[in-house]
Amino acid sequence: DAKTTQPPSMDCAEGRAANLPCNHSTISGNEYVYWYRQIHSQGPQYIIHGLKNNETNEMASLIITEDRKSSTLILPHATLRDTAVYYCIVRVVNYGGATNKLIFGTGTLLAVQP
Amino acid sequence: SAVISQKPSRDICQRGTSLTIQCQVDSQVTMMFWYRQQPGQSLTLIATANQGSEATYESGFVIDKFPISRPNLTFSTLTVSNMSPEDSSIYLCSVSGLAGGSSYNEQFFGPGTRLTVL
């Protein structure tokens, strides 16, 4: 799977939008971009994923550049409970295949400040 | 989504002993995985648990140290054998490919088992 690069940490004020960047310059055409987060002492939680179009769900928005070499996860109104490590992962999706495994990088620690 | 439980939630073990961690899912899943998270680190994939056959291990992990069983589509175990303090970590079970769903896209994680080896 392609490697991703994320800043090690970011701060955000409560109520403001949190924009978390991710570089994946070696991404292949059949690799998706996934975002997970891990709140302290819990298992990782799925947030969102996309291939090339921007995506939005109840948790966040995912903006993928046209060349797909980078993406941004947007939490529109960050709360204190959004403080977590956010992982950007790229992977192939093969239905039933072993390549479904997720390989985690080091992630970004987002600290939401009151 | 899938509800995943792990037993035990935490344990303190002596050097040289073994611990078996159980992972139970509330629905049938195609894929089950085991991860390790060492203190202050990211998650590292140990292996993919295959039903009815030997697990597929990632580089740096071997069956003798981390034997895995997967007898059916809802259950798996990971054993940490001959433990040393370096094995102190959180061990997480993860699943994807829920039966009847389209969720090969999503991978769900259990709460983890916190292991301390003295």
Side-chain angles (χ1 to χ4, degrees):
Chain A
D1 288 2
K3 191 177 172 110
T4 62
T5 305
Q6 299 177 254
S9 64
M10 293 181 63
D11 288 344
C12 177
E14 189 177 18
R16 304 296 295 268
N19 297 281
L20 293 93
C22 179
N23 287 320
H24 31 80
S25 59
T26 60
I27 192 170
S28 300
N30 61 347
E31 288 182 313
Y32 287 70
V33 180
Y34 284 76
W35 284 84
Y36 280 73
R37 73 179 182 184
Q38 187 175 26
I39 297 170
H40 183 61
S41 298
Q42 298 182 22
Q45 176 190 20
Y46 166 82
I47 301 173
I48 199 168
H49 76 279
L51 182 62
K52 54 185 177 180
N53 297 322
N54 297 338
E55 302 287 344
T56 296
N57 63 21
E58 65 278 3
M59 290 183 68
S61 295
L62 173 61
I63 308 298
I64 303 174
T65 58
E66 191 168 343
D67 63 7
R68 301 206 327 122
K69 292 185 177 182
S70 64
S71 60
T72 301
L73 179 74
I74 301 172
L75 308 178
H77 305 286
T79 70
L80 297 178
R81 290 179 294 179
D82 291 322
T83 292
V85 178
Y86 287 77
Y87 295 99
C88 170
I89 303 166
V90 294
R91 69 158 173 161
V92 173
V93 175
N94 281 336
Y95 293 90
T99 52
N100 277 330
K101 59 191 180 185
L102 287 171
I103 305 299
F104 286 78
T106 53
T108 296
L109 173 59
L110 175 68
V112 181
Q113 309 291 342
Chain B
S1 66
V3 176
I4 305 168
S5 59
Q6 288 186 230
K7 290 183 181 179
S9 59
R10 59 178 62 229
D11 207 342
I12 300 173
C13 300
Q14 296 298 318
R15 181 196 298 261
T17 63
S18 297
L19 176 72
T20 295
I21 302 168
Q22 298 179 3
C23 176
Q24 179 73 55
V25 194
D26 69 342
S27 59
Q28 293 185 342
V29 295
T30 302
M31 307 294 291
M32 296 185 78
F33 308 91
W34 287 98
Y35 287 81
R36 179 177 74 182
Q37 188 169 29
Q38 295 175 301
Q41 303 296 312
S42 182
L43 286 80
T44 301
L45 179 64
I46 297 172
T48 302
N50 301 310
Q51 193 217 351
S53 64
E54 194 171 284
T56 304
Y57 289 85
E58 298 297 308
S59 176
F61 297 96
V62 296
I63 188 171
D64 290 345
K65 176 68 176 177
F66 297 102
I68 288 170
S69 78
R70 188 175 172 195
N72 56 49
L73 294 177
T74 63
F75 186 78
S76 177
T77 66
L78 168 75
T79 299
V80 186
S81 302
N82 188 25
M83 288 183 285
S84 67
E86 292 71 34
D87 294 320
S88 296
S89 295
I90 299 173
Y91 291 86
L92 297 111
C93 173
S94 179
V95 305
S96 70
L98 274 64
S102 62
S103 296
Y104 282 102
N105 286 333
E106 294 185 40
Q107 192 165 323
F108 303 97
F109 287 81
T113 295
R114 185 178 295 272
L115 171 63
T116 302
V117 184
L118 303 178

